[in-house]
Amino acid sequence: MKKIFKPFNLAAVAMSCMLLAACGTSEGTSGTDKPIVVGTEATFAPFEYMDKGEIVGFDVDLLDAVLSEAGIEYELKNVGWDPIFIMIENGEIDMAVSGITITEDRQQTYDFSSPYFESTHMVAFKEGADITSANDIVGKNIGVQISTTGQIAAEKIVGENHSDISKFDSTALAFLALDQGNVDVVVTDNVVVNEYVKNNPNSGVTGIEDTENFEAEYYGFLFKKENDLREEVNAAFKTILENGTYSEIYEEWFGVQPNIDLLLEFME
Ligand code: ARG
């Protein structure tokens, strides 16, 4: 693993030294070689979800390819959605991957890698609900995952903090509410809606796109501001875009070839 100066890791080592009385100097040095900690919220299939006790998904494979390329050891932790942002800020995790959309608002506080995936939103609902465009969510009970771009997309249509919007800690809980009839629609990322529909053929849930109301957005790896790790990740990401590894992972998960040129253009 490359040695990079990570002030928060040193701080963490110092902290654990204070807690564990028996802490030699050698441990202090090897502390900088500790695997980095990556946070995620793993109820967002096919990007990250739990399968037989393991975190799996497109993001997970991509993360592994990028960090292996960069020679960086890591530990992936399922920390929850809101905690991702808090833990990045206070240095408890070094990086996050979680289908996190790069937004101007988030860029005020955090840094992102180059975009690695194009997404947009969809409305999920039970067949029979009279929904043909995103505007039809007006007057419905709307479920979103809290603090996501899905929440913002829904608020754009019905108004910020509208009482018809129920905010759930995870997208899985929003889908559960849809299943149980506690909400009429869920607004979330398109690929996640399609995956839910595919995995739950008896749920009666279907989804619609709406290119007029829902714009394209891009996922990135999340970092604390002004972090050396970001440059290393971007360099490794570029390599795996060019050497076919990204395409392989993409094809494995989505069955089609990605638009590599688009992603490479973003890097310039
Ligand atoms: N792309 C959306 C956002 O960044 C939703 C991401 C939710 N990811 C998750 N793992 N639950 O706001």
Side-chain angles (χ1 to χ4, degrees):
M1 178 186 161
K2 258 202 210 139
K3 276 197 187 168
I4 38 171
F5 182 63
K6 292 196 272 340
F8 40 85
N9 270 2
L10 292 179
V13 171
M15 277 268 283
S16 52
C17 286
M18 288 188 310
L19 296 174
L20 301 166
C23 184
T25 43
S26 62
E27 196 181 326
T29 330
S30 70
T32 52
D33 273 356
K34 268 196 331 201
I36 66 162
V37 184
V38 184
T40 191
E41 191 275 299
T43 70
F44 205 60
F47 295 101
E48 44 271 323
Y49 58 101
M50 299 305 296
D51 186 29
K52 299 180 196 92
E54 253 182 79
I55 310 172
V56 298
F58 171 76
D59 279 355
V60 178
D61 288 352
L62 180 64
L63 174 80
D64 190 66
V66 168
L67 292 186
S68 303
E69 178 60 42
I72 297 173
E73 281 174 42
Y74 68 98
E75 182 194 342
L76 181 60
K77 276 192 183 164
N78 188 11
V79 299
W81 178 245
D82 273 342
I84 282 178
F85 297 89
I86 300 161
M87 291 169 86
I88 284 277
E89 263 192 277
N90 68 21
E92 275 180 86
I93 57 177
D94 303 293
M95 171 176 171
V97 61
S98 210
I100 307 171
T101 301
I102 303 167
T103 67
E104 272 179 28
D105 194 40
R106 289 174 182 159
Q107 279 172 322
Q108 307 289 312
T109 319
Y110 309 95
D111 271 350
F112 282 96
S113 67
S114 285
Y116 69 80
F117 192 87
E118 182 177 308
S119 173
T120 186
H121 290 102
M122 273 177 74
V123 181
F125 54 90
K126 289 232 175 139
E127 275 155 26
D130 192 19
I131 291 172
T132 54
S133 92
N135 292 324
D136 294 329
I137 69 171
V138 174
K140 306 269 192 233
N141 290 318
I142 303 156
V144 296
Q145 181 175 11
I146 194 162
S147 314
T148 57
T149 52
Q151 177 186 331
I152 295 165
E155 286 182 333
K156 248 197 192 158
I157 296 169
V158 302
E160 222 172 296
N161 286 318
H162 196 285
S163 59
D164 285 347
I165 300 181
S166 301
K167 299 166 192 163
F168 298 91
D169 280 341
S170 72
T171 299
L173 286 173
F175 277 125
L176 186 66
L178 178 65
D179 189 52
Q180 296 178 338
N182 296 328
V183 299
D184 305 312
V185 302
V186 169
V187 179
T188 188
D189 301 33
N190 58 333
V191 176
V192 173
V193 170
N194 288 331
E195 184 75 8
Y196 182 86
V197 169
K198 191 180 89 190
N199 291 342
N200 298 276
N202 301 323
S203 64
V205 171
T206 180
I208 54 148
E209 299 194 340
D210 183 333
T211 47
E212 256 161 55
N213 281 291
F214 297 145
E215 288 165 10
E217 52 182 50
Y218 297 88
Y219 296 164
F221 297 108
L222 186 81
F223 306 93
K224 198 184 175 90
K225 263 211 179 297
E226 287 167 24
N227 191 307
D228 293 345
L229 190 54
R230 175 174 174 271
E231 301 316 315
E232 291 191 69
V233 164
N234 272 348
F237 177 51
K238 185 155 193 253
T239 305
I240 70 154
L241 274 178
E242 287 168 341
N243 73 11
T245 305
Y246 177 91
S247 301
E248 245 171 61
I249 297 170
Y250 192 101
E251 223 197 320
E252 212 178 291
W253 283 96
F254 305 115
V256 289
Q257 281 292 315
N259 185 347
I260 295 288
D261 292 339
L262 177 77
L263 297 178
L264 282 171
E265 254 169 54
F266 278 125
M267 301 201 112
E268 278 144 25

